[in-house]
Amino acid sequence: MTAFARRARASAGRMHPELSLVSYTLLGHLEESGGCRATDLATHYALDKSTVSRQVAALERTGLIERRLDPEDHRVQVLHLTQAGRRILAQVTESRREAFHERLADWPEEDLERFAAYLLRYNAATGGDPLKGKPADG
């Protein structure tokens, strides 16, 4: 699992020097959710608000995310991916997908099925979100 995490970190870092695994994960969540508040990110990933704040500041500096006023409550700022953020996220995702295909290309079908079943079992044991280590909140 440590090697898996290191590869994910390295993959993100190769695409953009300031893109840590945490940053990549936050970008992915912003893409999936269509944008959210920094406090929502902290809650979703069970991270300290200061940790998220540092990550968000770095992502803003690099132009990968932007803040927009919530149309329903102008006191609230919502984080969104920029075009550059979408592009980097897509590149990192594709790079990771290619790496998985390379590593698994010679595996027999039976091994791939067994591996997939083990991953499903592992994710089910953590509520479907291995980064959080606790049940996903939907």
Side-chain angles (χ1 to χ4, degrees):
M1 294 306 294
T2 301
F4 185 76
R6 283 185 187 140
R7 282 189 187 123
R9 270 190 230 103
S11 173
R14 280 192 301 273
M15 295 307 295
H16 198 284
E18 291 190 46
L19 195 58
S20 69
L21 180 59
V22 172
S23 296
Y24 173 76
T25 303
L26 297 180
L27 289 176
H29 184 77
L30 289 175
E31 181 182 54
E32 288 174 19
S33 67
C36 67
R37 300 174 304 163
T39 54
D40 296 331
L41 288 171
T43 300
H44 183 78
Y45 289 106
L47 293 171
D48 185 76
K49 289 179 186 176
S50 64
T51 300
V52 170
S53 180
R54 283 190 301 276
Q55 295 292 327
V56 165
L59 291 168
E60 281 182 297
R61 271 194 314 275
T62 57
L64 301 179
I65 65 171
E66 64 186 1
R67 294 176 190 264
R68 297 184 203 155
L69 289 177
D70 185 326
E72 296 177 19
D73 184 349
H74 292 286
R75 297 170 296 171
V76 176
Q77 293 186 335
V78 179
L79 303 171
H80 291 275
L81 291 177
T82 62
Q83 281 299 101
R86 282 188 233 304
R87 190 171 47 254
I88 290 291
L89 185 60
Q91 288 171 350
V92 173
T93 299
E94 183 58 29
S95 174
R96 290 179 71 199
R97 186 173 290 125
E98 288 172 8
F100 287 134
H101 281 116
E102 272 181 33
R103 288 187 188 100
L104 301 174
D106 296 335
W107 286 32
E109 187 71 26
E110 182 179 298
D111 288 351
L112 289 171
E113 289 173 7
R114 192 175 308 122
F115 183 57
Y118 289 147
L119 287 174
L120 288 171
R121 181 176 165 192
Y122 174 80
N123 286 334
T126 61
D129 193 340
L131 293 175
K132 290 170 74 174
K134 65 181 190 177
D137 53 13

